[in-house]
C-alpha cells in the first residue's frame, strides 16, 4: 500500500471506530458469514461441517447421506450464538472474531477470544499512532 492509500485506509479505520453506532451496523449474535448458512465443508472422513475452522456441528455423510447431513448442519448453525459483548463492541467493524474463532480460542461459541480482542485493540492503537505495521 502506498503512503496516500495507507493514510486513507488509516483514517477510514479511525473514523469507523470513533463514529461507531451499533444500530447502524446491525451485527447479530447468529453466524453472519456463509458457514452453515449457504456453504459447508466435507473432510476426507466424510464429516460435513459449517466451515473448515469448525469441528462441530458435524455429521458423517457416508452414514446419514448428504441431504440429512446438510439439514442438520444448517439447523444446528442457526442455534450458534456469539457473545453479546461482541455484537455491541465498538471494535467489531475491524475485529476478525467469528463463531469459529470463539470456539477455537475459548472452547465455546459464546466465549470472547482474548487473543483476538487484544490483537484488534493493538491494531487500532497502531492505526491511531499513524505508524505503519508493514
Ligand atoms: S472461519 Fe469464521 S468467518 Fe470464516 S467461514 Fe468459518 S465461521 Fe465464518
Ligand atoms: S473479540 Fe473483543 S474486540 Fe472483537 S468484537 Fe469481541 S469484544 Fe470486541
Amino acid at each position: 500500500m502506498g503512503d496516500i492509500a495507507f493514510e486513507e485506509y488509516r483514517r477510514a479505520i479511525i473514523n469507523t471506530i470513533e463514529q461507531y453506532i451499533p444500530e447502524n451496523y446491525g451485527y447479530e449474535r447468529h453466524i453472519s458469514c456463509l458457514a452453515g448458512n449457504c456453504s459447508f465443508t466435507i473432510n476426507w472422513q466424510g464429516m460435513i461441517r459449517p466451515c473448515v475452522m469448525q469441528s462441530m456441528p458435524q455429521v458423517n455423510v457416508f452414514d446419514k447421506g448428504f441431504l440429512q447431513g446438510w439439514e442438520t448442519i444448517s439447523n444446528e448453525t442457526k442455534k450458534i450464538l456469539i457473545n453479546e459483548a461482541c455484537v455491541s463492541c465498538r471494535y467489531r467493524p475491524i475485529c476478525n472474531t467469528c463463531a469459529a474463532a470463539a470456539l477455537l480460542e475459548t472452547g465455546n461459541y459464546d466465549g470472547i477470544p482474548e487473543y483476538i480482542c487484544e490483537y484488534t485493540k493493538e491494531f487500532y492503537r497502531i492505526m491511531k499512532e499513524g505508524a505503519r505495521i508493514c
Side-chain angles (χ1 to χ4, degrees):
M1 203 181 283
D3 288 345
I4 294 174
F6 175 75
E7 187 57 20
E8 287 179 2
Y9 170 71
R10 194 178 75 81
R11 287 188 183 283
I13 287 173
I14 293 168
N15 287 342
T16 297
I17 300 306
E18 288 186 347
Q19 298 166 16
Y20 179 63
I21 300 172
E23 293 74 30
N24 290 349
Y25 284 80
Y27 291 119
E28 294 184 11
R29 293 187 67 193
H30 290 99
I31 287 187
S32 56
C33 66
L34 303 184
N37 287 319
C38 64
S39 75
F40 59 87
T41 183
I42 300 178
N43 70 9
W44 65 276
Q45 294 160 313
M47 307 306 286
I48 182 171
R49 299 170 171 172
C51 78
V52 292
M53 297 290 284
Q54 295 185 54
S55 57
M56 60 180 204
Q58 64 175 7
V59 175
N60 191 321
V61 294
F62 294 142
D63 292 339
K64 304 291 183 186
F66 174 77
L67 188 58
Q68 187 178 338
W70 167 245
E71 285 176 348
T72 301
I73 294 300
S74 176
N75 290 334
E76 291 301 310
T77 294
K78 290 180 176 63
K79 300 176 189 168
I80 295 172
L81 300 173
I82 65 167
N83 195 288
E84 179 70 41
C86 292
V87 174
S88 55
C89 173
R90 68 190 290 249
Y91 297 104
R92 186 68 188 89
I94 61 167
C95 179
N96 290 325
T97 193
C98 70
L103 180 67
L104 292 171
E105 291 281 339
T106 73
N108 296 300
Y109 282 117
D110 67 349
I112 297 179
E114 196 175 323
Y115 158 73
I116 295 179
C117 250
E118 290 178 12
Y119 179 97
T120 302
K121 289 165 189 168
E122 180 64 8
F123 172 68
Y124 183 61
R125 186 190 67 76
I126 291 169
M127 289 294 106
K128 288 271 281 188
E129 281 185 353
R132 295 202 60 148
I133 54 176
C134 56

